[in-house]
Amino acid sequence: MDLYRLYLVTDDKQDLVTLKNVVKEAVAGGVTMVQVREKQRDIRCFIEIALAVKAVLKGSGIPLIINDRVDVALAIDADGVHLGQSDMPAGIARRLLGKDKLLGLSIENEQQLIEAESLPVDYLGLSAIFATPTKTDIKKEWGISGLANAVAQSSFPIVAIGGINDTNLEAVIATDVAGVALVSAICDAKSPQDAARRFRTLMRR
């Protein structure tokens, strides 16, 4: 499904002006989904950032996903939520969000992958494919073979995240993964638009 193809996750260390610009450029470059991640600041700040990103995405048809926080997603009427393993249980989140919102879940090991099969989610985020400076608490590095096995095993679309860049993208895509999620490869690029476009081009090969 093209929806998950190039999934931008925002960098919560960037100020709001930079973040909005990154999202705007990344959309012009071809990202297919945007997740607002906010681990640093309080909920009021999170809502402000999410609303600003929602305004940037208006009319683009690109879904806005909120990281971790079901309350923030409901408050701003986002398109969905991406949950971590220590967040609200997926069943409760689904009940609160309703059946029409997107619900993603981070998967960090094989046991979680198996357990996810019975959960009311739409897609899985497999983390981390490769070690990455943006995530310091990695439980497992899946690598290409681990990703390929997960894709073959799961009935859900899988989005690969963690350390993905120009040098390994081809191998990641070759696993038939639904998409890739990128943070620094787009957020830290001199031109987020060019970076997103380059990744889209590489994916079409």
Side-chain angles (χ1 to χ4, degrees):
M1 187 194 277
D2 216 31
L3 185 67
Y4 304 110
R5 202 66 186 152
L6 188 57
Y7 190 145
L8 172 69
V9 179
T10 62
D11 183 349
D12 59 2
K13 292 177 195 70
Q14 292 181 325
D15 63 73
L16 187 53
V17 173
T18 307
L19 193 144
K20 279 164 63 178
N21 187 55
V22 165
V23 172
K24 190 175 169 185
E25 283 205 28
V27 167
V31 299
T32 54
M33 203 175 227
V34 175
Q35 180 188 134
V36 176
R37 184 166 70 177
E38 182 50 72
K39 305 278 191 188
Q40 319 274 337
R41 291 167 281 228
D42 61 32
I43 188 164
R44 184 169 287 216
C45 215
F46 196 163
I47 287 171
E48 184 191 338
I49 292 162
L51 282 171
V53 172
K54 187 179 180 178
V56 172
L57 293 177
K58 192 176 180 187
S60 68
I62 291 166
L64 169 62
I65 306 297
I66 299 298
N67 181 259
D68 296 351
R69 302 292 301 248
V70 174
D71 52 351
V72 173
L74 289 169
I76 70 149
D77 192 26
D79 298 295
V81 175
H82 186 88
L83 298 170
Q85 287 290 329
S86 59
D87 296 322
M88 183 185 288
I92 298 173
R94 172 58 75 203
R95 203 161 66 236
L96 289 168
L97 290 166
K99 63 182 192 305
D100 299 330
K101 300 288 187 187
L102 287 165
L103 189 58
L105 179 67
S106 290
I107 299 293
E108 295 167 343
N109 59 47
E110 277 90 354
Q111 187 56 37
Q112 292 170 2
L113 187 68
I114 294 162
E115 288 166 3
E117 284 299 311
S118 63
L119 297 175
V121 296
D122 296 294
Y123 73 94
L124 304 176
L126 207 69
S127 169
I129 309 306
F130 309 107
T132 161
T134 42
K135 195 159 171 62
T136 50
D137 58 343
I138 289 172
K139 310 273 191 302
K140 172 185 169 73
E141 201 174 327
W142 290 83
I144 295 298
S145 61
L147 172 60
N149 289 338
V151 169
Q153 188 183 330
S154 178
S155 62
F156 292 110
I158 286 181
V159 176
I161 187 166
I164 298 166
N165 54 41
D166 301 35
T167 62
N168 55 39
L169 182 71
E170 220 162 296
V172 169
I173 292 300
T175 64
D176 281 337
V177 72
V180 298
L182 301 172
V183 187
S184 50
I186 291 178
C187 294
D188 295 348
K190 195 157 39 172
S191 166
Q193 182 172 339
D194 290 348
R197 189 172 289 133
R198 190 174 71 250
F199 281 110
R200 281 308 296 260
T201 304
L202 286 167
M203 287 168 142
R204 287 191 194 102
R205 281 185 187 169

